[in-house]
Amino acid sequence: MEVQRTKKIRMVNYDYRQPGAYAITICTKKRRWLFQHSALRAIAYGEWYNLTQHYAGIIPGTIMVMHNHIYCILIIEKDQPDVKSVIEIISGYKSLVSNAWYAYLKESNSCYPMKIWQKRFYDHIIRDQRDFDAQTAYILNNPVAFKAKQKKKNHKSK
């Protein structure tokens, strides 16, 4: 029996603790439209902006919570011995959101999917200011682009 290998999505031999900016895409499990729930949306934004309370030397940059994924920019400010890697920070963020969501569901006695995240996430190492500006514009313009795509899709199905 042949074991199927998972495609590597990280740059080989790259130290993800390096100072710099990283564009991140985090998807929901099975790409479910979970972020239509306003409480989960609020938790996702809140925990992003609170990351500095958990991780030293970072700036949680631009974020856009979409229907089934999150686009964001994470900035590692300075080279310091205790700085965590992008992988550790995003894993921690996913955990913080999940824990807050589970607490909300328990408190509100709600029945909504508990598993939020796909196991992995996608990253893009931002190379320079031009790339940073392009990534930021992409993130901020994504809701408009999504609505246009949905409108076009709905128009074709008529």
Side-chain angles (χ1 to χ4, degrees), residues 123-142:
D123 68 84
H124 168 78
I125 301 162
I126 297 177
R127 294 169 191 80
D128 54 27
Q129 188 62 48
R130 185 175 172 190
D131 191 13
F132 185 90
D133 294 344
Q135 293 295 324
T136 301
Y138 178 82
I139 291 169
L140 295 175
N141 293 325
N142 205 265

Side-chain angles (χ1 to χ4, degrees), residues 17-136:
R17 288 178 178 81
Q18 286 187 59
Y22 302 84
I24 308 291
T25 305
I26 313 168
C27 297
T28 60
K29 187 176 179 90
K30 297 182 182 179
R31 305 261 175 151
R32 291 179 295 186
W33 287 37
L34 298 179
F35 292 114
Q36 289 181 300
H37 195 290
S38 60
L40 181 53
R41 223 177 156 74
I43 289 168
Y45 279 115
E47 293 299 340
W48 181 252
Y49 294 119
N50 288 331
L51 275 178
T52 55
Q53 295 175 9
H54 304 279
Y55 300 98
I58 68 158
I59 299 172
T62 303
I63 182 173
M64 184 62 64
V65 178
M66 298 296 291
H67 55 286
N68 67 354
H69 60 282
I70 294 175
Y71 290 121
C72 54
I73 294 178
L74 176 66
I75 301 163
I76 297 182
E77 282 189 294
K78 48 192 164 199
D79 208 359
Q80 51 185 316
D82 60 342
V83 71
K84 299 294 184 193
S85 72
V86 171
I87 295 136
E88 292 168 305
I89 295 164
I90 297 302
S91 295
Y93 169 72
K94 289 165 69 173
S95 181
L96 290 165
V97 171
S98 294
N99 290 338
W101 178 238
Y102 300 154
Y104 168 83
L105 291 175
K106 187 176 179 181
E107 195 176 285
S108 64
N109 201 23
S110 297
C111 183
Y112 207 74
M114 289 184 67
K115 297 280 184 188
I116 302 170
W117 307 113
Q118 259 185 12
K119 288 186 189 244
R120 302 189 312 167
F121 65 91
Y122 303 93
D123 68 84
H124 168 78
I125 301 162
I126 297 177
R127 294 169 191 80
D128 54 27
Q129 188 62 48
R130 185 175 172 190
D131 191 13
F132 185 90
D133 294 344
Q135 293 295 324
T136 301

